[in-house]
Amino acid sequence: MQNSFKERFVKIADDGLKTLFTPAVATRQTPAATHSEAELSVAEKMEVARLMRVNHCGEVCAQALYQGQALFARDEQVRTSMQEAADEEIDHLAWTAERIDEMGGRQSLLNPLWYGGSFAIGAAAALLSDKISLGFVAETERQVSTHLNSHLQKLPAQDEKSRAIVQQMDIDEQQHATHAVEMGGVDLPAPVKGVMHLLGKVMTKTSYWV
């Protein structure tokens, strides 16, 4: 049976509070578990912590986007797909948070701000149409994949734990992008992609430091 808007709102509000204020619990074992801890200098640990903070912030934004889209999706199948994708990416939240802790770092202080903005963007995309919303998912995931691959170039070569996490995240993001297109997501106009890229740059640059 299709849930009412009020029921969906209550669930998504609860999910949002958990995203921001409750440690995420992964359903899959972290990809880092099969690798040994590398010898890293203080500077390298600091860099890994900062990069993982950026990735964790990106996953907070992803949760918000999916939740905003799920709340206002018109089609029940699209709504379910958005919620399932958000649930799957909780693993990413847990994995990156754990790695930040291991490196002695902290999560971004601006996570609530980025969550609110991302939720609004996701909701706006869904209100336009499901096809645009799905197209937004596909383009977001493609840009995230590019970003993750750039981190593979920046992480210390010997840090197999962090690299394994980023590689699995990239696999998951690409799968979500493909699924969104298969469900009918439209290709977004170039100016929209450009704005998305610019906003992503602002988020990554800010969360690297704050």
Side-chain angles (χ1 to χ4, degrees), residues 94-190:
W95 298 342
T96 52
E98 181 180 48
R99 195 60 179 152
I100 291 170
D101 289 343
E102 291 170 350
M103 294 295 101
R106 58 164 175 76
Q107 297 174 18
S108 174
L109 300 175
L110 299 179
N111 278 346
L113 175 65
W114 289 113
Y115 180 93
S118 297
F119 185 93
I121 292 172
L127 286 169
L128 289 172
S129 79
D130 285 344
K131 289 185 179 295
I132 290 176
S133 186
L134 288 165
F136 191 86
V137 168
E139 181 58 28
T140 298
E141 299 292 32
R142 291 189 194 105
Q143 293 192 15
V144 169
S145 178
T146 299
H147 155 79
L148 291 173
N149 278 281
S150 75
H151 275 199
L152 289 174
Q153 306 303 315
K154 298 174 183 177
L155 286 166
Q158 73 273 30
D159 184 9
E160 295 182 349
K161 280 181 170 287
S162 297
R163 299 177 71 83
I165 291 171
V166 172
Q167 287 167 345
Q168 186 58 54
M169 288 172 64
D170 183 37
I171 291 170
D172 294 344
E173 307 294 4
Q174 291 187 46
Q175 289 176 342
H176 291 157
T178 300
H179 184 58
V181 172
E182 290 173 348
M183 290 192 68
V186 297
D187 189 35
L188 301 180

